[in-house]
Amino acid sequence: MPQYKSIDFSNREWLFYTFCSVVFFFIYNLICAFFLRKFEFLRTHWNFWRFKNTFISWSHAVIASMLFLYNVFQMPQLLDDMINVSSKFSYIGICVSKGYFIYDAIDIIYSNKKLSTQSKEVLVHHGLIIFIFSITLSLNKYVGYTTAAISIEFNTIFLHLRFMSVFCNIEKNSLRFRLLSILNLVTFVIFRLLTLCWMTRWIILNRLLIPTLWFTIGSLGLVVMMTINIFLLKRLVQSDFNKEKIITNDSESTIKKSN
């Protein structure tokens, strides 16, 4: 395997960038709350929080996707040697996403007096991501692998646009919504299912280069993520492409988050 130049990111540095990310999203939350209160359809507390939370998640997906593209174009070697290669911006990209998931977990717990089953699932997902990202940052390894995982956020952009469109009562039979549904499905298959399959293949082929503990944690994480996304895909197909399926508000709320 070719050797590429890498950098070391101290614990103080990644803790600092992660903290800055958490603070940023809390401030962004206040800004979004100020502007979104003006909309009539967000008058109830639950509607207001759910839409705001989804919009902030969509914003994170846009930021994470742009950072992914920048990192891959700046250092394509990240995807050649996904164990040892790293760059400052690849670390920052991971810190930004980790900070967002910490913020979102706090927001979910604080804003919901009684956690629903869906909220508990999201918290388990966030906890897993935070834990795996922390391993990458603390070990100064697997930065390329974690960066590849962030590419999933490309689909999150369309997934949340779809949710917000439903929330805004855009007709499902309209051309705009049908195009969005198709884009969501295509990017779901490419950036979620195929990416996770590729990551699974990589970790199996490189299992001898990875300590048993980290290989086990990574494999279990992939199993959980693949399971979550298969069920999410099933709900999406039933919701958007099954004409006989009756969609209720409760079923729509289940298609909210993946990351």
Side-chain angles (χ1 to χ4, degrees):
M1 181 178 291
Q3 298 295 314
Y4 300 108
K5 184 178 179 181
S6 185
I7 68 165
D8 288 328
F9 213 57
S10 68
N11 288 340
R12 179 179 296 180
E13 287 179 292
W14 69 257
L15 285 170
F16 170 76
Y17 285 112
T18 301
F19 175 77
C20 288
S21 175
V22 175
V23 172
F24 167 80
F25 281 106
F26 271 110
I27 294 174
Y28 188 55
N29 178 22
L30 296 175
I31 295 172
C32 290
F34 175 78
F35 288 101
L36 291 176
R37 289 189 189 280
K38 301 177 181 179
F39 293 95
E40 187 67 31
F41 69 97
L42 299 178
R43 290 300 180 187
T44 67
H45 170 77
W46 172 243
N47 285 349
F48 174 75
W49 176 82
R50 189 168 55 161
F51 190 89
K52 174 170 63 70
N53 183 266
T54 304
F55 181 79
I56 294 173
S57 182
W58 175 83
S59 302
H60 161 256
V62 173
I63 295 170
S65 298
M66 290 191 296
L67 285 173
F68 170 81
L69 288 175
Y70 177 82
N71 284 318
V72 170
F73 280 109
Q74 181 201 43
M75 184 175 280
Q77 299 91 341
L78 279 168
L79 301 183
D80 291 333
D81 181 356
M82 295 199 290
I83 297 177
N84 300 305
V85 172
S86 61
S87 66
K88 184 171 184 178
F89 264 93
S90 62
Y91 276 113
I92 291 176
I94 296 172
C95 290
V96 168
S97 289
K98 181 184 175 183
Y100 162 74
F101 288 120
I102 293 173
Y103 149 78
D104 196 46
I106 296 172
D107 185 47
I108 291 172
I109 295 171
Y110 177 78
S111 301
N112 294 271
K113 295 180 180 179
K114 184 178 180 181
L115 293 176
S116 64
T117 301
Q118 180 201 353
S119 295
K120 292 176 182 177
E121 291 173 356
V122 172
L123 289 174
V124 170
H125 167 273
H126 284 13
L128 178 64
I129 297 297
I130 293 168
F131 179 64
I132 292 176
F133 281 18
S134 296
I135 292 174
T136 295
L137 293 169
S138 60
L139 293 179
N140 277 306
K141 286 186 177 293
Y142 315 112
V143 174
Y145 191 73
T146 305
T147 299
I150 292 175
S151 67
I152 290 175
E153 295 298 329
F154 279 108
N155 169 251
T156 305
I157 294 173
F158 297 98
L159 187 68
H160 287 344
L161 279 176
R162 177 209 170 277
F163 175 83
M164 290 186 287
S165 297
V166 172
F167 205 87
C168 294
N169 294 320
I170 294 178
E171 290 292 334
K172 286 194 171 185
N173 291 326
S174 66
L175 178 61
R176 184 194 316 177
F177 188 87
R178 300 308 299 172
L179 288 175
L180 182 57
S181 296
I182 293 172
L183 283 172
N184 182 34
L185 183 62
V186 171
T187 56
F188 193 105
V189 172
I190 295 174
F191 292 107
R192 287 185 183 271
L193 297 186
L194 292 183
T195 295
L196 288 172
C197 288
W198 175 66
M199 292 175 67
T200 301
R201 176 180 178 273
W202 181 90
I203 200 173
I204 292 173
L205 293 176
N206 293 275
R207 62 189 180 279
L208 297 180
L209 301 176
I210 305 171
T212 302
L213 176 61
W214 307 134
F215 174 78
T216 303
I217 292 174
S219 298
L220 290 175
L222 285 170
V223 170
V224 172
M225 293 300 296
M226 184 63 80
T227 302
I228 290 174
N229 282 284
I230 287 174
F231 280 103
L232 180 59
L233 177 62
K234 179 183 177 181
R235 291 197 294 264
L236 282 170
V237 172
Q238 289 177 338
S239 174
D240 292 353
F241 299 97
N242 187 351
K243 294 182 179 180
E244 297 180 356
K245 180 74 175 178
I246 299 176
I247 306 301
T248 63
N249 290 334
D250 289 339
S251 64
E252 283 300 336
S253 67
T254 62
I255 307 175
K256 184 182 180 297
K257 288 208 169 190
S258 65
N259 66 35

